[in-house]
Amino acid sequence: MGNDRNLPSHVGIIMDGNGRWATNRGLDRTIGHREGASAVRRAVRASREKGIRALTLYAFSEQNWGRPGSEVHALMGLLQEFLVGERDEILGNGIRLRAIGNTNRLPTIVRALLDGLMASSKGNSGMTLTLALSYGGQEEIAEACRVLASRVVAKEINVEDISTGALRSAMPSLEVGDPDLIVRTGGDHRISNFLLFGLAYAELHFTEVLWPDFGEADLHDAITAYQQRERRFGTL
Ligand code: IPE
Ligand code: IPE
Ligand code: MG
């Protein structure tokens, strides 16, 4: 178990491996997603108890819309259940809920639940939980460019004002700061379009554990590994 000093302030998790977890057991992929939703509950609770200030969970990528309609439908149903079922847990523990990504694409009912819970939790000062939904890192960079370009057109800023800081300020994913630690479960060593701009100096932790099996001990392992890294940010 890691110590509580030098905790990562912002942790991002690429929650991968639900489908394989189910397929390995001869079950339908959607059962894996259901188990994955339980793992989300455990991870949120463990992160909060550990004292993580911000947790960003990659729940559904912009590219995941390309999956079969039945799987997308099942995922949206689980998201809806999560937002109803976790309402008390979120509000009762001072968690602030946010969403990043193209949430306009989500079903109306999911968006309504999301908007309601974000509004109710917005004054909370405990952990900030950000759900990346219909999210893509490249898409977020393009959107930030559009925002800054339109400010130039409106003569609010000059072209020279388009700095890395200005881009960062235009990215909702980084409102809680750049991620310090990115965890990916499921054994693949890639980023899959998550937090691309912010992860410039993030520590990366890859584990073979499939997301439905991810528990408190795995989170502790990831944090302990982080605490043993030396971050240099390009300096000596
Ligand atoms: C992650 O699990 C959940 C989402 C991407 C929505 P996957 O569904 O990608 O599971 P694998 O990678 O196929 O095992
Ligand atoms: C990344 O997993 C997206 C989420 C975990 C939501 P994917 O399963 O979609 O990524 P690839 O296809 O393996 O790169
Ligand atoms: Mg996957």
Side-chain angles (χ1 to χ4, degrees):
M1 220 181 261
N3 62 46
D4 286 340
R5 291 176 43 212
N6 188 28
L7 270 181
S9 169
H10 179 189
V11 176
I13 309 185
I14 303 170
M15 309 184 290
D16 196 29
N18 293 350
R20 278 163 287 165
W21 185 94
T23 307
N24 289 346
R25 288 165 174 74
L27 301 170
D28 192 79
R29 288 176 59 85
T30 56
I31 310 281
H33 293 311
R34 182 167 287 284
E35 289 302 315
S38 298
V40 171
R41 291 185 189 97
R42 290 198 297 272
V44 170
R45 179 168 295 183
S47 299
R48 179 177 58 72
E49 288 173 352
K50 189 80 190 151
I52 302 296
R53 293 302 307 157
L55 177 68
T56 300
L57 298 177
Y58 201 8
F60 192 81
S61 75
E62 186 75 2
Q63 287 66 33
N64 288 150
W65 289 113
R67 294 189 180 195
S70 56
E71 179 162 342
V72 170
H73 184 78
L75 282 164
M76 292 302 141
L78 285 167
L79 180 55
Q80 183 178 337
E81 272 180 41
F82 178 85
L83 293 169
V84 173
E86 294 311 287
R87 187 179 168 85
D88 290 349
E89 175 85 13
I90 286 172
L91 296 178
N93 288 295
I95 296 173
R96 180 169 70 110
L97 182 76
R98 302 170 64 232
I100 53 171
N102 190 2
T103 53
N104 288 336
R105 291 188 75 178
L106 298 172
T108 317
I109 172 72
V110 171
R111 258 175 56 205
L113 287 166
L114 199 54
D115 289 345
L117 197 45
M118 287 194 296
S120 305
S121 68
K122 119 177 184 237
N124 288 351
S125 57
M127 185 176 79
T128 298
L129 170 63
T130 304
L131 300 180
L133 297 168
S134 192
Y135 175 84
Q138 291 184 338
E139 286 79 357
E140 185 181 32
I141 292 170
E143 172 61 16
C145 291
R146 284 191 290 273
V147 166
L148 295 183
S150 54
R151 286 192 198 141
V152 171
V153 170
K155 300 207 189 305
E156 292 166 11
I157 59 170
N158 299 313
V159 168
E160 296 70 33
D161 297 325
I162 300 180
S163 58
T164 56
L167 278 163
R168 183 176 280 104
S169 303
M171 290 188 198
S173 67
L174 305 180
E175 190 212 283
V176 292
D178 286 7
D180 300 295
L181 169 65
I182 304 278
V183 177
R184 182 176 185 133
T185 63
D188 284 314
H189 295 190
R190 57 177 175 251
I191 295 299
S192 300
N193 208 13
F194 192 42
L195 308 183
L196 291 184
F197 189 85
L199 59 66
Y201 282 99
E203 295 297 329
L204 308 178
H205 180 79
F206 298 100
T207 169
E208 297 292 321
V209 174
L210 301 173
W211 178 251
D213 290 328
F214 192 87
E216 194 179 348
D218 301 296
L219 181 75
H220 284 304
D221 286 351
I223 291 172
T224 302
Y226 170 87
Q227 289 171 325
Q228 285 158 3
R229 308 270 180 92
E230 186 199 346
R231 301 182 77 188
R232 290 189 287 275
F233 300 96
T235 66
L236 297 181

